[in-house]
Amino acid sequence: MKLSTEVTIPQYPFRVDHRVPLLLMGSCFTENIGRVMDRSLFPITINPFGTTYNPLSVMSSLEALIQKERYGEAELEQHNGLWFSFDHYTGFSAPHREACLDGINKEFIHAKKVLGEAQLLVITWGTAWVYRYNKTGEVVSNCHKIPASRFTRTRLTTKEIIQSYEAFLPELFRHNPDLKILLTVSPVRHWKEGAHGNQLSKATLLLATEALERQFPGQVFYFPSYEIVMDELRDYRFYAGDMLHTNPVATQYIWERFRDALISDESQKIIKEVEPLVKLMEHRPQDTEGEAHQLTLHRTKEKLDLMKKKYPFLTWERI
C-alpha cells in the first residue's frame, strides 16, 4: 500500500559535480538548497544580490552581471539614514554610501566571474507578484521599507515572463555557451497575497517555466521542487512554525531527490566521504583546554590534510 504519491523527476542530460562553478539565484528556497551544497563543498555562489522572489528581478540581476562592470554611486538610493540599491536586498544596506557600494561590488564582481564559467544556473521563482517603483516604473527586488504608496503592486502575466526571458536568454547563452539553466518554483507560500492569490501566482510561474523549457530545449530544464512538497510532503509536519516555509526535514528530502537526479556519481561519493569530516569541524566542545580535545584537534587535522590531498579541488576554505 502506497502512503504517498511520488513525483517523477525527469532524466536530465547532464550532471553536476564539484569541479565546475554553480550559481544559484532566486527565492529563499534557493538559499536552503544552496546551503546544503555549500556544506558539501561545492564551488557554489548563492544569491549575490540577496534573496530575489520574482522572475523579472532575477532576470535584471543576470542582465547586470553581463552588462555592468560594477555598481556606481548613482545607482544607490537613501531612506531613513541608510544607503541601498533597489536591485539588492536589505542585507547590503549601510549608513555610509561607500560601505554599501563596497559590499555590493564585492559580491557582484565575484558573481560576474562565476556566471561566465558556471556549468549550471539554478533559478528559483517565488512569486509572480511584483512592486514597481512609481518614480521610475521599474520592478524592484526589495522595497526597503519605503512607504507602499510609492509603489504599484501587480501580478505578472505568464506572457510577460515568457517574453522577457525569450528576449534575454539568447544574450545569456552567448555570454556562456556551456551554461544550462534549471528552473524551479519555490514551495514557500506567499500568504500576503491570500490563498487564491498565491495559487494564481504559482500557476503563472509554472506555466512560464514550461513554455521556456520548450522554447530552449537542451538549455532550459525544470526541477519539480514545488510538486515534491505539494504531493510527496503533503503534511504540515514538513513546515516551519509559520506553516508557510518548509522546515529542515523537507529541505533535506528535496536535496536528496535533487542529488539523486542531478549530482554525478563521483560527487555523490565525495559527499559521503566529506560528511564525517564536516561534522567534526562543526562540533563545538564545551571543554577546549583538555587533553581529549587537543587529541581530537590533532586527528581532525590529519583527516583534513589527507582529504585535501585526495580532493584538492574542493572548497576547503568553507569549513
Side-chain angles (χ1 to χ4, degrees):
M1 182 176 65
K2 288 187 177 181
L3 298 179
S4 66
T5 52
E6 184 171 325
V7 174
T8 300
I9 297 178
Q11 293 291 321
Y12 300 99
F14 62 91
R15 289 292 181 271
V16 176
D17 62 36
H18 281 86
R19 299 177 186 272
V20 183
L22 295 96
L23 180 59
L24 275 67
M25 297 181 68
S27 80
C28 51
F29 184 74
T30 292
E31 302 264 352
N32 293 338
I33 293 298
R35 280 195 293 269
V36 178
M37 297 187 75
D38 182 65
R39 187 174 179 274
S40 296
L41 306 184
F42 282 87
I44 188 169
T45 299
I46 309 166
N47 279 342
F49 291 74
T51 306
T52 308
Y53 298 98
N54 72 80
L56 293 194
S57 289
V58 174
M59 190 186 76
S60 294
S61 299
L62 291 167
E63 284 181 319
L65 289 172
I66 294 174
Q67 297 169 3
K68 292 179 188 286
E69 290 303 317
R70 60 193 300 118
Y71 273 77
E73 292 183 357
E75 294 168 287
L76 299 185
E77 304 277 348
Q78 190 180 32
H79 181 69
N80 283 343
L82 291 176
W83 289 92
F84 67 91
S85 159
F86 276 128
D87 292 349
H88 296 76
Y89 89 125
T90 54
F92 288 98
S93 302
H96 300 289
R97 183 167 51 189
E98 295 77 12
C100 176
L101 209 53
D102 287 347
I104 285 172
N105 282 323
K106 180 181 177 182
E107 294 294 323
F108 182 83
I109 291 168
H110 170 72
K112 185 176 178 69
K113 181 176 184 294
V114 170
L115 183 59
E117 301 172 351
Q119 173 186 1
L120 182 67
L121 167 63
V122 181
I123 297 175
T124 303
W125 293 338
T127 181
W129 291 93
V130 299
Y131 289 81
R132 294 185 184 273
Y133 190 39
N134 294 336
K135 185 177 178 180
T136 64
E138 297 295 320
V139 171
V140 301
S141 292
N142 194 292
C143 293
H144 294 273
K145 299 182 180 179
I146 291 173
S149 60
R150 300 185 191 177
F151 300 91
T152 299
R153 174 178 167 272
T154 59
R155 192 180 73 234
L156 298 172
T157 66
T158 301
K159 185 177 181 180
E160 284 177 302
I161 298 170
I162 294 169
Q163 288 181 339
S164 296
Y165 274 80
E166 281 179 341
F168 167 67
L169 288 182
E171 180 183 2
L172 179 57
F173 292 130
R174 284 192 297 271
H175 181 74
N176 182 347
D178 298 323
L179 187 68
K180 300 286 190 298
I181 296 176
L182 189 68
L183 293 174
T184 68
V185 172
S186 171
V188 176
R189 289 173 292 169
H190 288 246
W191 212 243
K192 184 166 58 175
E193 322 303 347
H196 188 54
N198 174 70
Q199 291 296 85
L200 291 173
S201 168
K202 299 295 186 184
T204 299
L205 300 177
L206 291 167
L207 288 168
T209 62
E210 180 190 38
L212 292 174
E213 189 177 15
R214 289 180 177 179
Q215 183 72 14
F216 297 93
Q219 294 174 300
V220 175
F221 303 86
Y222 178 71
F223 181 78
S225 55
Y226 178 81
E227 291 80 357
I228 289 170
V229 172
M230 294 298 108
D231 286 284
E232 292 191 35
L233 306 182
R234 198 190 309 165
D235 193 296
Y236 274 111
R237 72 179 183 271
F238 298 111
Y239 285 83
D242 64 2
M243 299 296 136
L244 301 175
H245 290 78
T246 50
N247 65 18
V249 175
T251 298
Q252 181 62 29
Y253 183 83
I254 296 166
W255 157 245
E256 290 173 5
R257 297 298 308 275
F258 182 96
R259 178 198 64 200
D260 294 345
L262 285 157
I263 305 298
S264 71
D265 291 341
E266 180 194 26
S267 280
Q268 292 201 42
K269 177 173 174 279
I270 290 171
I271 291 169
K272 290 180 181 178
E273 286 190 59
V274 164
E275 175 64 17
L277 180 59
V278 171
K279 283 184 175 179
L280 273 175
M281 301 289 287
E282 290 174 341
H283 180 63
R284 297 291 180 267
Q286 291 183 338
D287 179 14
T288 59
E289 302 297 331
E291 184 178 336
H293 176 64
Q294 297 305 313
L295 181 60
T296 299
L297 285 178
H298 177 71
R299 289 176 177 171
T300 301
K301 186 178 184 307
E302 285 184 336
K303 291 177 181 178
L304 180 61
D305 290 342
L306 285 172
M307 290 293 281
K308 283 182 176 180
K309 288 179 181 178
K310 187 173 182 180
Y311 301 117
F313 50 86
L314 298 185
T315 54
W316 293 108
E317 67 276 8
R318 302 278 178 90
I319 63 172

